[in-house]
Amino acid sequence: MRGTSRASLEAVENRFTPVVRAAGGQARRISEELFALVDALDSSSSLRRTLADPSVEGDPKSALVARVLDGADPRTVEIAQALVRSRWSSDADLAGATERIAFRALLSSAEADGTLGLVEDELFGLTRSLAGQREVRRYLLDDAYPAQARGELVDRILGDQGTATTRAVARRAAVAPRGRRFVTTLNHVGDLIAELRSREVATVVAAAPLTPTQTDRLAALLGRALGRPVQVNVVVDPHVVGGLRVQAGPDVIDSTVLSRLADARRQLAG
């Protein structure tokens, strides 16, 4: 998001994050109701345009979204009304912002029951397990397959493993991809967990596993560079000849041998 969209989202998040966290286990209901609103926005272009239209006064939009959420938790309605009163660069940004806060509410329920760290580990493990499963990843994105079938596939992949929150995140990512790859949504939720835990997540791609000492040293170096604690997740890729590729949010630090060779070829070609 950009411009007024980003400012609007931050304002709503700053206002309602404490409310959602204080809801404890009830935050799961808030998340489900906000996801239902996302689905309504995605399925109705007229509703989406009306609620995001800056030329429409806030009161009518607030009344409309309250009718859409009839019977919902009052906190859900209050969040939705704050969102529709905000200014958005496009109507798609409204749905995206609603989804982001819905995921934050779901994660807040895990924070309340003490499983947030486990959810983070499980989502990373699921992402890593799909690294070589190209057909599965394609199936989870393809709208040609019914949403219910994609959700059932995730259920089969997880089996009886995973917390309730992990399963809810994974199923939501499969059933309502919203144009994103399944793993992209899991990574996005991982970033939200890092925000809740006031730290950064760095994904490190290496040719071989790092030792605990190496992982701790790298986390300390990245923490000093980024100015906040860093959780290091290591992905082993045998195609990486040497060095490391580190991604922390939008920042990528690539020091692999292959990257250096590519740079050399570009310089010679120039």
Side-chain angles (χ1 to χ4, degrees), residues 219-244:
L221 289 170
L222 291 171
R224 287 197 292 271
L226 298 172
R228 62 189 304 184
V230 174
Q231 166 72 37
V232 173
N233 292 332
V234 180
V235 175
V236 177
D237 182 352
H239 296 96
V240 178
V241 178
L244 301 171

Side-chain angles (χ1 to χ4, degrees), residues 19-259:
V19 174
V20 171
R21 285 178 130 166
Q26 294 179 342
R28 184 176 297 275
R29 176 186 173 185
I30 296 173
S31 75
E32 292 170 352
E33 292 168 345
L34 288 174
F35 281 133
L37 177 58
V38 174
D39 294 340
L41 292 170
D42 285 343
S43 64
S44 174
S45 58
S46 60
L47 176 66
R48 190 171 62 248
R49 285 195 300 268
T50 299
L51 291 178
D53 190 344
S55 68
V56 178
E57 294 293 331
D59 287 347
K61 290 191 292 187
S62 292
L64 174 57
V65 80
R67 290 197 297 273
V68 172
L69 291 170
D70 183 41
D73 187 296
R75 290 165 293 193
T76 305
V77 177
E78 188 179 4
I79 292 169
Q81 289 177 326
L83 284 165
V84 301
R85 285 180 176 273
S86 301
R87 296 183 64 86
W88 304 102
S89 299
S90 70
D91 54 10
D93 287 343
L94 171 59
T98 305
E99 181 193 52
R100 177 181 165 93
I101 296 178
F103 273 125
R104 288 181 71 99
L106 180 57
L107 296 175
S108 291
S109 70
E111 186 179 37
D113 64 25
T115 62
L116 187 59
L118 182 56
V119 171
E120 183 176 38
D121 291 341
E122 290 173 345
L123 290 177
F124 177 68
L126 178 57
T127 299
R128 187 167 51 186
S129 71
L130 292 173
Q133 305 294 324
R134 183 175 181 181
E135 285 302 310
V136 174
R137 297 198 309 271
R138 184 182 65 80
Y139 185 100
L140 290 171
L141 177 67
D142 196 338
D143 286 338
Y145 300 104
Q148 181 178 345
R150 297 196 302 270
E152 290 172 352
L153 175 59
V154 166
D155 290 339
R156 291 197 298 273
I157 291 172
L158 291 172
D160 59 357
Q161 303 298 309
T163 63
T165 299
T166 297
R167 300 178 72 86
V169 169
R171 189 173 180 84
R172 178 69 193 181
V175 171
R178 308 192 71 246
R180 292 184 304 256
R181 296 181 185 275
F182 180 77
V183 169
T184 300
T185 300
L186 298 191
N187 289 335
H188 168 64
V189 175
D191 290 340
L192 294 180
I193 294 174
E195 290 180 15
L196 284 172
R197 304 182 76 184
S198 299
R199 58 187 175 81
E200 191 79 53
V201 172
T203 299
V204 178
V205 182
L210 301 183
T211 66
T213 299
Q214 290 172 323
T215 302
D216 291 344
R217 185 178 300 133
L218 181 57
L221 289 170
L222 291 171
R224 287 197 292 271
L226 298 172
R228 62 189 304 184
V230 174
Q231 166 72 37
V232 173
N233 292 332
V234 180
V235 175
V236 177
D237 182 352
H239 296 96
V240 178
V241 178
L244 301 171
R245 182 181 185 276
V246 181
Q247 180 161 359
D251 300 318
V252 176
I253 306 167
D254 196 338
S255 62
T256 64
V257 169
L258 291 178
S259 176

